[in-house]
């Protein structure tokens, strides 16, 4: 059991001073007391401010290894689809050891960026060529191991993936590593659930089908009836995808999902990028989370999320690092706001009324992340997982380093350097800005990377 003493903390009721936070041996917050006196056994945080650490609601850990490899213009019109070919090429050499090493590295960087947990959207199930591993949950187990190495709370989402495009197009040879049927998915789920039983108490298994490019209506009906709880889905990332789905099902992807699935609280539509006004308000009303990944969406040239209208309609938003091209919580929050500013030719768009944009974006990340990860986190309150981050105002040059100004500085003024400590489920994994196992995780990552760059066909 540890008790932290913070001069300043962001509580559900707002900013508070002289806060004692008692964390139990199980990794949950037991008690929070504001306006308290410091006890001699407390761990003092000095001048640092403590905040809940948001969950990263969408990641493909292995893609961290190809960061920077698709930034060279190779055709007259590079696009998401040409990027995807690079990703598939890269995948063909990726072993379970590589997936574990690269994912642990990505998770470590997430912690250093201020995330307190992650939802890993995991769809690489099979060996190169498509044959299943002897243990169908081999790759999923490697993700779990990566989470344990990094100490980052994990919601593992084994992904159903049956087709190579809308209208049940057959899988391309390079997509065979993702292939599941309803039967193999059931076996995979059983294997993952078994593997998770010996994992950390804050390891959760969730549900996912990849997208309407990779699952048909009948399979989606069976999946949502069979596996209770919320689902994560790639929704409407690309205009071509929207057009293909409309030609096939007579409805746009988000429209179809709203009309044909039990979508509701906790569901996470990742890249709900291309939505009509009706889809935007419809999604907000259903209580689902729009999982935005502004850095990846910008990197891939996806388009701009209808953020202002969605927020106005009361929609929940959370943030993901997706391709992990660069891992930065502050960048994700800032880029969402900036895409809205350039779209609307206005400032401080992602706010409800007169309020701090930094605080609004941060609180959206807290609430949306916790809902999408099905993780009792996102607040410094009894019963919640102790997912916490401290910011050291002395590390950034800001006119005021307190309260909402601190969050505005964090999001907009290079405040990432202020990240000092991170706890995930009570595990103190980042100290003075550096992950406690960085050297070992980084050296395994570098070894994988160097092998992959030589061996990828
Ligand atoms: Zn994704």
């Amino acid at each position: 059991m540890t008790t932290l003493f913070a001069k300043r903390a962001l509580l559900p009721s707002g900013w508070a001073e002289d806060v004692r936070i008692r964390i139990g041996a199980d990794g949950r917050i037991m008690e929070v007391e504001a306006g308290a006196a410091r006890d001699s056994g407390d761990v003092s945080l000095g001048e640092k401010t403590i905040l809940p650490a948001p969950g990263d609601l969408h990641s493909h850990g292995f893609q961290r290894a190809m960061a920077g490899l698709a930034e060279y213009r190779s055709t007259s019109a590079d696009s998401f689809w040409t990027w995807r070919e690079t990703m598939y090429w890269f995948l063909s050499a990726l072993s379970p050891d590589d997936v574990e090493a690269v994912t642990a590295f990505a998770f470590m960087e997430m912690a250093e960026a201020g995330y307190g947990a992650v939802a890993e959207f995991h769809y690489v199930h099979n060996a190169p060529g498509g044959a299943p591993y002897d243990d169908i949950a081999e790759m999923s187990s490697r993700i779990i191991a990566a989470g344990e190495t990094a100490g980052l709370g994990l919601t593992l989402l084994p992904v159903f993936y049956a087709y190579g495009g809308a209208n049940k197009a057959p899988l391309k040879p390079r997509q065979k590593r993702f292939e599941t049927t309803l039967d193999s998915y059931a076996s995979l789920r059983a294997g993952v659930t078994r593997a998770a039983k010996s994992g950390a108490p804050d390891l959760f298994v969730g549900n996912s089908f990849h997208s309407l490019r990779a699952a048909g209506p009948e399979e989606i009906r069976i999946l949502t009836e069979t596996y209770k709880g919320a689902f994560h889905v790639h929704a409407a990332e690309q205009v071509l995808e929207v057009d293909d789905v409309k030609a096939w099902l007579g409805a746009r992807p988000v429209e179809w999902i709203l009309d044909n699935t039990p979508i509701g609280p906790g569901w996470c539509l990742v890249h709900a990028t291309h939505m009509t006004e009706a889809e935007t308000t419809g999604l907000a009303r259903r209580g689902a989370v729009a999982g935005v990944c502004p850095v990846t969406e910008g990197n891939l040239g996806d388009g701009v999320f209808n953020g202002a209208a969605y927020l106005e309609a009361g929609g929940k938003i959370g943030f993901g690092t997706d391709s992990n091209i660069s891992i930065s919580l502050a960048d994700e929050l800032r880029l969402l706001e900036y895409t809205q500013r350039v779209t609307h030719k206005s400032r401080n768009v992602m706010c409800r009324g007169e309020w701090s944009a930094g605080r609004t974006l941060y609180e959206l990340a807290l609430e949306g992340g916790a809902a999408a990860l099905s993780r009792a986190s996102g607040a410094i309150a009894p019963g919640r997982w102790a997912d916490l981050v401290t910011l050291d105002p002395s590390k950034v040059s800001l006119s005021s380093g307190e309260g909402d100004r601190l969050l505005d500085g964090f999001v907009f003024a290079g405040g990432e350097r202020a990240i000092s400590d991170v706890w995930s489920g009570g595990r103190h994994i980042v100290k003075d800005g550096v992950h406690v196992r960085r050297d070992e995780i980084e050296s395994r990552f570098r070894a994988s990377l160097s092998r992959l760059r030589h061996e990828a066909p």
Side-chain angles (χ1 to χ4, degrees), residues 118-373:
V118 60
E120 177 71 11
F121 191 98
H122 175 63
Y123 60 87
V124 186
H125 305 304
N126 305 320
Y133 288 102
D134 290 344
D135 172 4
I136 197 168
E138 169 73 30
M139 286 298 217
S140 299
S141 301
R142 298 308 191 106
I143 303 293
I144 292 172
E148 280 169 8
T149 301
L152 191 66
L154 174 65
T155 297
L156 178 57
L157 306 163
V159 175
F160 177 85
Y161 199 125
Y163 303 108
N167 203 6
K168 302 188 178 183
L171 290 165
K172 298 185 177 79
R174 281 175 166 173
Q175 294 172 318
K176 289 279 187 184
R177 291 200 78 174
F178 319 147
E179 182 169 23
T180 53
T181 61
L182 288 170
D183 284 348
S184 74
Y185 189 73
S187 306
L188 174 67
R189 287 295 303 253
V192 171
T193 305
R194 253 195 319 276
K197 276 202 176 115
S198 53
D202 60 334
L203 165 64
F204 305 107
V205 179
N207 305 312
S208 172
F209 54 93
H210 180 274
S211 59
L212 291 174
R213 287 181 265 138
E218 181 65 4
E219 285 124 350
I220 292 169
R221 183 184 65 74
I222 293 168
L223 288 166
T224 53
E225 284 174 5
T226 307
Y227 304 102
K228 296 301 168 202
F231 275 72
H232 286 228
V233 190
H234 287 134
E237 182 168 12
Q238 288 284 317
V239 173
L240 178 64
E241 171 183 27
V242 174
D243 293 344
D244 284 352
V245 168
K246 184 150 193 191
W248 170 36
L249 297 173
R252 300 160 58 85
V254 175
E255 180 186 10
W256 189 89
I257 289 169
L258 289 172
D259 289 345
N260 294 280
T261 73
I263 184 171
W267 274 62
C268 181
L269 290 199
V270 183
H271 312 306
T273 308
H274 300 287
M275 294 197 291
T276 61
E277 293 299 322
E279 286 174 309
T280 304
T281 50
L283 183 62
R285 281 200 204 107
R286 295 289 276 271
V289 179
V292 298
C293 310
V295 171
T296 295
E297 288 156 5
N299 181 267
L300 296 178
D302 287 346
V304 175
F305 173 63
N306 196 2
Y310 185 73
L311 188 67
E312 178 73 30
K316 286 192 172 63
I317 297 173
F319 294 80
T321 52
D322 194 10
S323 72
N324 296 310
I325 173 78
S326 66
I327 295 177
S328 164
L329 170 60
D331 282 0
E332 300 291 352
L333 304 184
R334 183 171 62 252
L335 196 52
L336 174 63
E337 169 66 22
Y338 282 0
T339 56
Q340 304 303 308
R341 289 187 188 188
V342 297
T343 300
H344 297 284
K345 299 181 181 62
S346 180
R347 300 188 72 251
N348 300 323
V349 179
M350 296 301 288
C351 293
R352 302 182 182 105
E354 289 182 25
W355 199 244
S356 144
R359 170 118 176 239
T360 306
L361 290 158
Y362 198 86
E363 291 190 329
L364 286 170
L366 289 173
E367 193 186 344
L373 268 66

Side-chain angles (χ1 to χ4, degrees), residues 74-89:
S74 53
T75 71
S76 58
D78 265 1
S79 68
F80 169 86
W81 310 102
T82 57
W83 170 86
R84 198 176 70 159
E85 284 307 311
T86 306
M87 190 262 281
Y88 287 173
W89 160 79

